[in-house]
Amino acid sequence: MGFLKIFFVFIFCSFPWPTIQSDFETYIVHVESPESLITTQSSFMDLESYYLSFLPETMSAISSSGNEEAASIIYSYHNVMTGFAARLTAEQVKEMEKKHGFVSAQKQRILSLHTTHTPSFLGLQQNKGVWKDSNYGKGVIIGVLDTGIIPDHPSFSDVGMPSPPAKWKGVCKSNFTNKCNNKLIGARSYELGNASPIDNDGHGTHTASTAAGAFVKGANVHGNANGTAVGVAPLAHIAIYKVCGFDGKCPGSDILAAMDAAIDDGVDILSISLGGSLSPLYDETIALGAYSTTQRGILVSCSAGNSGPSPASVDNSAPWILTVGASTLDRKIKATVKLGNGEEFEGESAYHPKTSNATFFTLFDAAKNAKDPSETPYCRRGSLTDPAIRGKIVLCLAFGGVANVDKGQAVKDAGGVGMIVINPSQYGVTKSADAHVLPALVVSAADGTKIRAYTNSILNPVATITFQGTIIGDKNAPIVAAFSSRGPNTASRGILKPDIIGPGVNILAAWPTSVDGNKNTKSTFNIISGTSMSCPHLSGVAALLKSSHPDWSPAVIKSAIMTTADTLNLASSPILDERLSPADIYAIGAGHVNPSRANDPGLVYDTPFEDYLPYLCGLNYTNSQVGKLLKRKVNCSEVESIPEAQLNYPSFCISRLGSTPQTFTRTVTNVGDAKSSYTVQIASPKGVVVKVKPRKLIFSELKQKLTYQVTFSKRTNSSKSGVFEGFLKWNSNKYSVRSPIAVEFALATKYSDI
Ligand SMILES: *[C@@H]1O[C@H](CO)[C@@H](O)[C@H](O)[C@H]1NC(C)=O
Ligand SMILES: *[C@@H]1O[C@H](CO)[C@@H](O)[C@H](O)[C@H]1NC(C)=O
Ligand SMILES: *[C@@H]1O[C@H](CO)[C@@H](O)[C@H](O)[C@H]1NC(C)=O
Ligand SMILES: *[C@@H]1O[C@H](CO)[C@@H](O)[C@H](O)[C@H]1NC(C)=O
Ligand SMILES: *[C@@H]1O[C@H](CO)[C@@H](O)[C@H](O)[C@H]1NC(C)=O
Ligand SMILES: *[C@@H]1O[C@H](CO)[C@@H](O)[C@H](O)[C@H]1NC(C)=O
């Protein structure tokens, strides 16, 4: 499948959805809360009739397809927002706007989908460390919003699993009941309630098993990446909320309905590997649902998006969400192409030949030979019509809306014997190891240029592809994935995002054998890539922390993960990006997750939930916009708003530092040793003076809170663009609590700005 999911994001972000021939569309309608109704018990029926009262009198209309359809409520929300999702025409919405208590109605957004060796790469070892301390995540429930699940997969076996905790109120959808067990404890599906929770795509099965799959011996794809597959929290329970169809579309009304249910069901962690277009927080479906979810003590872990390495591409960036970027493992599934002139280039591929021999075949450059240049270089099915392809190794360009495995199928169908996929230059060293249908590999743009130069320079260019299989021990790992979305955070410039990075490149996890892209492997596992894959790793880590520290709030868990993250790679050098340059702070946030250290962070930054109101007012949102998130009437004029960087967040992002120094306070809570003292260590970003008061924090008991002040001042009057990085660390004789600092200078456009 390779980078297929990344395609979804690229394609669906840039083009509007085709609209179905109907005047009716699904709207998300916010209304004012009927205070009296909501606060009384058994309010739900009353809430429903309150919502119904907003439906227009002219209930039905003839749709453009000629059918009569009635305005109807699809979902009545009671946790994530005050309001409902309804099928309405534009006229009916206009009519509804006149009603008392109406706040807003917007067409729902359609979001899109954004894998063993990973646990040991993360330092998780059986009967040791954080796995032992947390009891493998025992008793914690991870809700997964995705494409559903294949329940009878060995990764979801409940051998050795305890029954779900008493607080669990969830269900397994009617005819699915016998599919659930003590591992898979819940399965709901949406799409107007008709769909089965069965995963027809593979994405949901993959993400769920990554977060909390059971131990499965001998997991591999074509013999590659062979080993024991296991989720990050193998004793955690899984609850599935199927919100995406086979087409990769995930309707906003379904996502909100799933979050609404997950709150009542009693999940502890929500894992959401989906995203959409970047919008203000009050207008982002997942941010809106996650606000109330977090308020109820549930940690929401989300993928950062696959729109990297473009700057300002980070998705799911609300401060109450854990936003996860993607990086590599120290594992390569190596393949090599050798040209007739003796040059060799290394690539990756999960293809494994039954017998490996170094036969040379003629090369065929699909781009050079293209009749229609917009089509053929990408080796789209049906586009390779040249009979000369027969018996040759075909060069194809990556992307173009065609997954690498499908390119290979197209080449095979056209009679080709091998394929070399050439990445775009911005992909750097990031390569996908796909389960190809013929001998094939992915190479970098730089190597691709040399291969094409050779191919087009002589009459009979030849090459051979050989497969070296799984190689562990890349000292440069983790490397930030090219596709991992980057800051700055457009929704809130003063909050650093992504928060953290985790494994998301060439991840092996559970997969349905029935799914198209996997038919050739007949394997119950597949190797795919994306921030969709890094998110469930962090959901699993959060479950481990929740299990060993049941009293930790979502903000505390997040702080523990962020302040203990690694900023160095296995070779003890700063973490690199896809260009093999040191990764910047907008690529890695706090750094790469280190579960063992996160389990014992020393100090944590809790974010009191009340602080989000002054924070949201500080974003200059209107009262009604803030009210949508808070589910109540808000008057920002009566709120002492705070700048974003004042939120008690475990990182610092000063988005417009001018000549006036900016001071913020932070409060840390002692969760390490009762009696302990910490001294501050500061690495100031270039051109900035960072001062901290006091420089020493002395704790005498656990849970004690102490506050410090940090002042950022600009060192010179020169305006420089770009981000400057540093950090602030509180060190005791045992702990080191690190907060990254990102500073951008206010660019002086007028004298008054200097
Ligand atoms: C459940 O029932 C629906 C509709 O009757 C059917 O489409 C679906 O395949 C069934 N699912 C299972 C797991 O049997
Ligand atoms: C996978 O590893 C196991 C244990 O080392 C071994 O028994 C098995 O044959 C391997 N499978 C493949 C396909 O390499
Ligand atoms: C090598 O493999 C190719 C097919 O992939 C086959 O045509 C050829 O005969 C094989 N050569 C040897 C020496 O086995
Ligand atoms: C909100 O408005 C105030 C006053 O105009 C301005 O100083 C501040 O920078 C704005 N905040 C944001 C996040 O844009
Ligand atoms: C908000 O509060 C201000 C100051 O107290 C007041 O003047 C204004 O009328 C209030 N607005 C609303 C909509 O209640
Ligand atoms: C900025 O600094 C330069 C020298 O470093 C000085 O000549 C100039 O007057 C300063 N500009 C302002 C506006 O202070």
Side-chain angles (χ1 to χ4, degrees):
M1 292 301 284
F3 290 119
L4 176 62
K5 303 306 166 193
I6 300 157
F7 277 116
F8 279 134
V9 175
F10 282 160
I11 300 163
F12 298 149
C13 284
S14 35
F15 300 108
W17 295 100
T19 43
I20 305 147
Q21 272 300 319
S22 163
D23 300 326
F24 280 91
E25 294 200 65
T26 302
Y27 285 81
I28 308 283
V29 182
H30 286 261
V31 297
E32 277 171 26
S33 61
E35 299 300 351
S36 53
L37 291 180
I38 271 189
T39 48
T40 58
Q41 287 300 312
S42 77
S43 60
F44 190 53
M45 280 311 293
D46 298 330
L47 192 61
E48 196 114 14
S49 49
Y50 169 68
Y51 289 162
L52 271 170
S53 73
F54 285 90
L55 285 197
E57 273 85 59
T58 48
M59 287 282 278
S60 53
I62 307 290
S63 73
S64 43
S65 58
N67 298 323
E68 186 168 317
E69 189 179 336
S72 60
I73 288 186
I74 306 169
Y75 299 116
S76 295
Y77 303 115
H78 60 287
N79 287 319
V80 292
M81 56 177 272
T82 310
F84 51 91
R87 299 273 301 159
L88 299 163
T89 65
E91 290 72 41
Q92 289 169 335
V93 171
K94 276 210 191 87
E95 210 175 306
M96 207 164 61
E97 280 168 5
K98 297 177 201 138
K99 303 224 166 167
H100 182 68
F102 172 89
V103 175
S104 69
Q106 267 172 321
K107 283 180 202 162
Q108 73 170 347
R109 289 173 186 278
I110 306 291
L111 280 65
S112 42
L113 297 167
H114 273 204
T115 300
T116 242
H117 172 59
T118 356
S120 69
F121 180 67
L122 292 176
L124 300 171
Q125 289 174 286
Q126 286 197 57
N127 307 317
K128 277 190 182 164
V130 61
W131 257 2
K132 185 163 175 250
D133 294 347
S134 69
N135 215 343
Y136 302 86
K138 193 172 179 174
V140 176
I141 303 163
I142 305 177
V144 181
L145 267 63
D146 214 298
T147 60
I149 197 161
I150 293 298
D152 31 26
H153 193 282
S155 288
F156 310 120
S157 149
D158 70 347
V159 173
M161 286 291 299
S163 354
K167 66 162 185 170
W168 176 245
K169 300 279 185 298
V171 298
C172 271
K173 200 178 162 81
S174 51
N175 63 354
F176 208 73
T177 316
N178 58 353
K179 301 283 183 193
C180 281
N181 58 22
N182 284 337
K183 165 60 75 183
L184 177 62
I185 60 171
R188 293 181 186 271
S189 61
Y190 295 86
E191 297 182 87
L192 303 178
N194 297 325
S196 144
I198 289 281
D199 181 8
N200 298 314
D201 176 283
H203 194 270
T205 298
H206 202 277
T207 54
S209 65
T210 298
F215 288 88
V216 182
K217 287 193 180 136
N220 63 73
V221 176
H222 289 324
N224 292 304
N226 185 31
T228 298
V230 62
V232 175
L235 286 189
H237 306 279
I238 297 169
I240 290 294
Y241 300 85
K242 181 176 177 175
V243 296
C244 307
F246 181 49
D247 52 7
K249 295 183 196 175
C250 321
S253 62
D254 290 353
I255 292 169
L256 290 172
M259 293 173 99
D260 214 66
I263 292 172
D264 288 334
D265 290 351
V267 307
D268 298 299
I269 314 284
L270 266 192
S271 190
I272 310 183
S273 293
L274 318 168
S277 50
L278 313 183
S279 356
L281 301 177
Y282 55 84
D283 228 8
E284 232 189 72
T285 310
I286 294 174
L288 180 82
Y291 182 85
S292 300
T293 311
T294 311
Q295 188 170 24
R296 300 284 281 269
I298 300 161
L299 181 131
V300 183
S301 163
C302 292
S303 46
N306 299 334
S307 305
S310 313
S313 52
V314 64
D315 198 355
N316 294 320
S317 57
W320 46 88
I321 289 174
L322 178 68
T323 312
V324 188
S327 49
T328 62
L329 296 172
D330 62 343
R331 178 182 68 200
K332 278 189 179 158
I333 309 177
K334 198 173 144 187
T336 306
V337 53
K338 187 173 181 183
L339 306 181
N341 65 5
E343 279 187 288
E344 287 190 22
F345 303 97
E346 195 182 298
E348 292 207 48
S349 177
Y351 180 81
H352 194 76
K354 285 187 186 67
T355 55
S356 191
N357 75 27
T359 308
F360 281 83
F361 294 96
T362 305
L363 286 161
F364 180 95
D365 187 346
K368 182 76 190 308
N369 294 274
K371 291 194 186 75
D372 172 3
S374 69
E375 270 274 328
T376 320
Y378 301 110
C379 298
R380 198 182 302 276
R381 200 169 287 198
S383 74
L384 298 166
T385 51
D386 193 333
I389 286 171
R390 194 155 288 279
K392 301 214 167 103
I393 294 176
V394 181
L395 306 185
C396 303
L397 299 188
F399 295 96
V402 187
N404 290 344
V405 172
D406 295 341
K407 294 177 198 283
Q409 188 66 54
V411 169
K412 194 177 182 185
D413 292 348
V417 295
M419 174 176 71
I420 300 168
V421 177
I422 302 171
N423 265 346
S425 59
Q426 69 269 26
Y427 259 56
V429 299
T430 302
K431 294 168 202 161
S432 64
D434 306 288
H436 291 288
V437 297
L438 81 176
L441 82 172
V442 175
V443 299
S444 70
D447 292 347
T449 303
K450 293 179 194 150
I451 296 168
R452 290 186 69 191
Y454 163 75
T455 304
N456 298 311
S457 69
I458 60 169
L459 209 55
N460 186 25
V462 292
T464 182
I465 304 172
T466 56
F467 299 87
Q468 291 75 46
T470 310
I471 293 170
I472 295 196
D474 180 5
K475 290 279 178 233
N476 281 333
I479 298 172
V480 179
F483 56 77
S484 186
S485 286
R486 312 292 155 98
N489 174 3
T490 51
S492 184
R493 289 296 288 224
I495 298 290
L496 183 65
K497 291 281 175 173
D499 292 309
I500 193 86
I501 56 171
V505 180
N506 298 330
I507 303 299
L508 179 119
W511 198 257
T513 43
S514 54
V515 167
D516 214 20
N518 213 31
K519 278 199 179 124
N520 66 83
T521 69
K522 296 273 178 280
S523 172
T524 49
F525 289 86
N526 194 11
I527 296 175
I528 57 173
S529 300
T531 54
S532 281
M533 280 66 245
S534 55
C535 160
H537 278 99
L538 267 292
S539 309
V541 171
L544 297 179
L545 301 187
K546 183 78 188 170
S547 184
S548 52
H549 309 280
D551 60 327
W552 281 8
S553 70
V556 166
I557 293 175
K558 186 162 143 179
S559 171
I561 289 172
M562 287 171 66
T563 63
T564 58
D566 292 328
T567 56
L568 302 180
N569 62 20
L570 294 180
S572 299
S573 302
I575 291 175
L576 304 174
D577 66 15
E578 72 286 347
R579 300 166 301 175
L580 296 181
S581 308
D584 80 16
I585 198 165
Y586 285 153
I588 66 170
H592 188 266
V593 61
N594 182 329
S596 308
R597 290 197 59 215
N599 196 35
D600 191 14
L603 304 177
V604 289
Y605 294 80
D606 200 355
T607 312
F609 218 81
E610 314 81 82
D611 289 2
Y612 289 125
L613 172 58
Y615 159 82
L616 292 166
C617 290
L619 285 174
N620 299 332
Y621 291 171
T622 65
N623 292 337
S624 141
Q625 289 164 345
V626 178
K628 279 193 195 178
L629 287 158
L630 270 66
K631 299 175 290 175
R632 61 180 170 87
K633 263 193 165 15
V634 166
N635 188 345
C636 280
S637 319
E638 290 172 342
V639 173
E640 215 174 299
S641 68
I642 58 169
E644 296 149 276
Q646 177 56 50
L647 204 62
N648 204 45
Y649 212 73
S651 58
F652 292 90
C653 192
I654 316 303
S655 58
R656 278 181 291 261
L657 186 61
S659 56
T660 317
Q662 295 186 23
T663 299
F664 305 99
T665 57
R666 284 288 189 275
T667 301
V668 282
T669 309
N670 183 16
V671 296
D673 295 330
K675 290 197 187 340
S676 49
S677 81
Y678 289 80
T679 317
V680 75
Q681 176 195 350
I682 299 165
S684 295
K686 206 171 160 221
V688 181
V689 182
V690 180
K691 285 212 169 93
V692 171
K693 262 196 324 197
R695 296 185 59 86
K696 197 165 188 168
L697 297 174
I698 299 166
F699 293 90
S700 54
E701 56 189 7
L702 284 175
K703 298 197 178 166
Q704 187 184 352
K705 290 180 189 291
L706 289 176
T707 293
Y708 68 90
Q709 278 196 335
V710 51
T711 302
F712 300 91
S713 9
K714 202 171 157 180
R715 208 181 270 280
T716 66
N717 66 4
S718 62
S719 284
K720 292 177 283 186
S721 63
V723 63
F724 296 88
E725 355 187 318
F727 64 82
L728 182 163
K729 225 186 234 182
W730 290 99
N731 298 314
S732 76
N733 54 13
K734 183 167 164 195
Y735 297 103
S736 174
V737 186
R738 182 183 185 275
S739 290
I741 299 172
V743 175
E744 286 195 54
F745 295 113
L747 294 177
T749 48
K750 299 184 218 111
Y751 286 114
S752 57
D753 290 340
I754 301 173

